[in-house]
Amino acid sequence: MCDNTVNPDNNTPKGLNFVEEEVYNDLQAGKNGGRLNTRFPPEPNGYLHIGHAKAICMDFGVAEKFGGTCNLRFDDTNPVKEDVEYVDAIREDIHWLGFDWGDREYYASDYFPQLFELAVRLIKEGKAYVDDQTSEEIAAQKGTPTQPGIESPYRSRTPEENLDLFLRMNAGEFEEGSRVLRAKIDMASDNMHFRDPIMYRIIKTPHHRTGTTWKVYPMYDFAHGQSDYFEGVTHSICTLEFVPHRPLYNYFVDELADETYRPRQIEFNRLNLTYTVMSKRKLLTLVKEGLVAGWDDPRMPTISGMRRRGFTPASIRKFIDTIGYTRYEALNSVSLLEHAVRDDLNRIATRVMAVLNPLKVTIVNYPEDKEETVTMENNPEDPESGVHEMPFSREIFIERDDFMENPPKKFFRLAPGAEVRLKGAYIIKCEDIVKDADGNITELLCTYDPDTLSGMPGAARKVKGTLHWVSARHAKDAEVRLYDRLFDVENPAAEPDRDFREMLNPDSLRVVEHAKVEPFVVENATPGTKFQFQRVGYFTPDTDSTPETPVFNRTIALKDTWEKVQKNG
Ligand code: ATP
Ligand code: MG
């Protein structure tokens, strides 16, 4: 075991959240011999989402802060829903977020023998019994918070009979659902979780690690605290819905712990995000029914989806830091996350030119076969980032929206007779419009002022508008995927009467098949590269991208247009 003892000092550090304060106080008090060991306990029944990232930042973060360690423990107690695909994805996502568990990778299934042994002991001591009722019957006897439950007719079985039945349950003699092992605590307890909670149920599906060794599997409440104990965890940090479970956590831990060491559960508020759902069950439904392209669909609130979309670990961590940890539930605005993403991408993204909806412009006074290169700054926010060259020629593409035949006042882009600067290149003037038989604009005829390139006498000449552009001859075709919120309802989870699938935003994905990008973009489209398509947004190559068919995801637009739309109705 590595040394995770913390040296106590007498000055409480400033700026701690309430969980960190609790941990700090325990360390100060010398609890558990001054050891700090947390754990992150995902169930491998789905991919991690941004809510899990909040738990990860807490579990690993507090350990880092006070020189402790954090275990990764897969809570693999239900073989029906779990899969190694999820185990691998979870590992990758935690690493990507920037955390490492070293060699401390554990599985609840590692403790099945010890848990079984404890169950046998509790049976022998008259603290657990086998119930032959169905789960429906058991649920019906639970009572309500104000009404005591009803004792099971099997509650007074002898330890011998209980032990015999439990061993036979595990030998596979009985059908799934025909019997459970329950703790014999108090059917009248104020805490519903104390009303003879189920400890074990029969499951015959093979387990991804233990195969067919076990036919009985522990319930969360019988596995979690004890697993913490077996592993040496000192602080078991989880979300608020486990507050009512805490007495039961302590009840089972009491069967094992002594005064020298005992794990302690502390709870904080879940992360809930607007315009999405966080339930793994719902996310799995979206995947299974093909309503998204997979767990890593860039619209998903999963870590893998956000990675594919182009979010950075730094921005996710910054966002989680901003919302903080409290003792009450709240709904967090996705705009805050997007703000953190923009902030980070603004610092690191390479500025390039791409035209999503191209309109051809011919510069009639520019020689037919002439080519020049202009120099573009890679990132004005980063003096180290350098420059790259971009080709210029007689035919270019500009954004269709950047031209209006009959512009309103204050339209500072291109219009008949108007002048604009082509970003990093010349000033051009629109002389004429070419239309097809249906009256659609197919081309603009412009002239350029040859004196206005950087370094020339007219370089400083000011015009109101600056447009992005690409050279038609040199531009590469690319597919561009534009994402919007996955749901068009702010809090889908708060609409219990509606099927969540009905609240999906039908326009959450828009595909632009033939965008035009400068060659540099395609040449540098390695996975994970962050671009700012100037005036358009932040983009990253999608995992579907190939050199022949480049595909880019829009991570986020440059500005939060959504907020404006909302405000203006
Ligand atoms: P399940 O319904 O499958 O239990 P879960 O989201 O609780 O789903 P787990 O794999 O059990 O998934 O979660 C692992 C850890 O992540 C737990 O400690 C849990 O408290 C925490 N966690 C899960 N969802 C959130 C969330 N939205 N915000 C913060 N922490 C979360
Ligand atoms: Mg859970």
Side-chain angles (χ1 to χ4, degrees):
M1 198 185 248
C2 60
D3 180 23
N4 53 5
T5 306
V6 174
N7 291 328
D9 64 69
N10 294 318
N11 315 310
T12 305
K14 296 240 175 342
L16 298 183
N17 63 48
F18 78 95
V19 177
E20 291 167 342
E21 250 174 48
E22 297 277 346
V23 169
Y24 181 80
N25 291 338
D26 285 349
L27 295 171
Q28 287 291 297
K31 288 192 187 159
N32 303 310
R35 246 177 3 95
L36 169 59
N37 191 173
T38 58
R39 89 286 167 266
F40 173 63
E43 182 176 358
N45 62 352
Y47 281 55
L48 297 182
H49 53 57
I50 180 106
H52 295 113
K54 178 173 178 177
I56 290 168
C57 289
M58 166 57 78
D59 296 328
F60 284 91
V62 72
E64 260 172 32
K65 191 166 235 164
F66 298 117
T69 50
C70 180
N71 302 348
L72 171 59
R73 181 168 78 237
F74 290 101
D75 182 22
D76 56 347
T77 53
N78 184 358
V80 181
K81 292 185 178 164
E82 295 157 10
D83 198 282
V84 276
E85 176 198 345
Y86 300 133
V87 171
D88 295 339
I90 288 169
R91 284 200 200 106
E92 182 182 357
D93 290 348
I94 299 172
H95 276 148
W96 181 75
L97 283 172
F99 298 104
D100 188 41
W101 54 96
D103 57 359
R104 294 176 310 282
E105 179 173 310
Y106 302 111
Y107 293 79
S109 57
D110 296 343
Y111 312 121
F112 284 171
Q114 287 137 288
L115 289 167
F116 192 80
E117 203 180 295
L118 175 63
V120 166
R121 197 183 96 201
L122 295 178
I123 290 170
K124 286 181 180 166
E125 292 173 1
K127 294 174 183 166
Y129 62 97
V130 172
D131 195 330
D132 298 358
Q133 301 181 100
T134 62
S135 54
E136 290 78 19
E137 286 168 322
I138 292 172
Q141 293 166 355
K142 259 248 131 142
T144 66
T146 52
Q147 222 176 19
I150 297 165
E151 293 189 355
S152 162
Y154 301 95
R155 200 172 195 262
S156 52
R157 274 178 164 155
T158 62
E160 292 71 29
E161 190 186 357
N162 283 320
L163 185 57
D164 174 63
L165 287 170
F166 185 53
L167 295 178
R168 286 164 61 198
M169 278 165 68
N170 192 41
E173 267 186 51
F174 308 123
E175 289 315 300
E176 288 188 10
S178 65
R179 284 182 168 84
V180 292
L181 183 70
R182 296 177 74 181
K184 192 171 178 175
I185 309 180
D186 180 5
M187 288 304 290
S189 173
D190 289 344
N191 185 327
M192 299 286 285
H193 297 282
F194 268 54
R195 296 185 183 176
D196 291 7
I198 296 173
M199 293 162 58
Y200 272 94
R201 73 264 206 228
I202 301 169
I203 297 177
K204 296 197 170 170
T205 305
H207 186 279
H208 66 105
R209 283 177 69 83
T210 60
T212 54
T213 309
W214 304 95
K215 302 289 185 303
V216 291
Y217 287 86
M219 301 296 288
Y220 174 88
D221 281 322
F222 189 68
H224 205 81
Q226 293 96 303
S227 299
D228 284 342
Y229 178 82
F230 296 136
E231 221 165 84
V233 166
T234 58
H235 294 82
S236 187
I237 307 166
C238 61
T239 36
L240 287 172
E241 71 271 23
F242 290 102
V243 169
H245 294 249
R246 196 195 318 141
L248 188 56
Y249 177 101
N250 289 332
Y251 174 91
F252 286 127
V253 165
D254 280 339
E255 294 291 341
L256 299 163
D258 60 22
E259 63 282 358
T260 61
Y261 157 58
R262 71 164 21 252
R264 167 184 179 197
Q265 180 181 304
I266 307 174
E267 312 84 7
F268 63 84
N269 64 322
R270 295 177 78 85
L271 167 59
N272 298 301
L273 261 196
T274 53
Y275 299 102
T276 193
V277 295
M278 219 58 97
S279 144
K280 274 197 245 176
R281 185 180 53 78
K282 288 179 183 164
L283 296 176
L284 178 62
T285 303
L286 295 178
V287 173
K288 276 200 177 149
E289 296 185 359
L291 297 168
V292 293
W295 283 99
D296 69 345
D297 185 298
R299 294 165 293 179
M300 291 279 270
T302 51
I303 308 288
S304 51
M306 291 183 176
R307 175 168 62 236
R308 182 170 171 186
R309 170 104 169 229
F311 287 21
T312 57
S315 57
I316 293 173
R317 291 174 67 161
K318 177 74 201 307
F319 163 67
I320 286 166
D321 205 44
T322 307
I323 58 172
Y325 295 85
T326 71
R327 285 190 171 98
Y328 48 87
E329 296 293 2
L331 180 64
N332 305 107
S333 169
V334 70
S335 296
L336 273 178
L337 171 60
E338 292 169 348
H339 178 77
V341 172
R342 276 191 198 95
D343 238 35
D344 195 37
L345 291 178
N346 180 44
R347 275 194 314 107
I348 63 173
T350 302
R351 273 56 171 175
V352 294
M353 304 266 207
V355 176
L356 266 45
N357 188 8
L359 172 60
K360 189 170 143 191
V361 172
T362 301
I363 300 163
V364 292
N365 59 339
Y366 194 89
E368 194 97 36
D369 47 7
K370 186 173 173 182
E371 285 182 18
E372 288 176 90
T373 57
V374 295
T375 303
M376 297 291 178
E377 233 181 330
N378 285 334
N379 185 350
E381 302 290 319
D382 175 7
E384 310 277 277
S385 65
V387 297
H388 71 271
E389 302 284 303
M390 185 172 156
F392 182 85
S393 63
R394 179 182 158 95
E395 288 177 2
I396 61 168
F397 292 116
I398 64 165
E399 213 69 68
R400 201 160 268 277
D401 285 355
D402 281 335
F403 176 79
M404 279 185 92
E405 191 173 4
N406 300 299
K409 265 191 188 163
K410 303 213 168 170
F411 182 80
F412 298 130
R413 292 172 273 167
L414 204 54
E419 279 191 318
V420 292
R421 179 173 290 278
L422 297 173
K423 172 94 183 156
Y426 299 99
I427 289 173
I428 59 168
K429 181 177 183 184
C430 178
E431 309 283 359
D432 214 346
I433 306 172
V434 182
K435 294 183 180 177
D436 66 13
D438 300 325
N440 302 310
I441 300 170
T442 54
E443 187 183 346
L444 302 179
L445 303 179
C446 295
T447 51
Y448 83 118
D449 178 347
D451 197 28
T452 51
L453 200 59
S454 167
M456 292 177 174
R461 182 151 84 80
K462 290 268 179 287
V463 286
K464 285 244 165 73
T466 301
L467 305 186
H468 61 281
W469 55 276
V470 293
S471 161
R473 196 182 302 164
H474 302 92
K476 307 285 183 205
D477 272 25
E479 179 181 319
V480 164
R481 298 178 184 167
L482 306 173
Y483 302 102
D484 202 341
R485 314 224 156 137
L486 187 51
F487 290 87
D488 54 17
V489 171
E490 188 178 47
N491 188 7
E495 310 260 348
D497 299 335
R498 292 178 69 187
D499 184 317
F500 77 103
R501 287 165 288 204
E502 286 170 18
M503 294 180 266
L504 283 166
N505 174 6
D507 301 318
S508 59
L509 169 62
R510 205 154 57 78
V511 178
V512 176
E513 287 188 26
H514 299 287
K516 300 284 183 185
V517 302
E518 63 165 301
F520 177 85
V521 175
V522 173
E523 286 156 19
N524 290 277
T526 49
T529 304
K530 306 291 187 277
F531 291 114
Q532 186 196 89
F533 290 2
Q534 299 205 61
R535 300 180 63 230
V536 182
Y538 293 103
F539 289 77
T540 196
D542 185 69
T543 46
D544 289 343
S545 189
T546 62
E548 298 72 42
T549 320
V551 181
F552 296 93
N553 292 322
R554 182 169 70 187
T555 308
I556 191 101
L558 291 181
K559 292 207 183 83
D560 190 349
T561 50
W562 185 275
E563 290 283 294
K564 258 184 237 152
V565 172
Q566 297 286 94
K567 273 185 204 127
N568 301 342

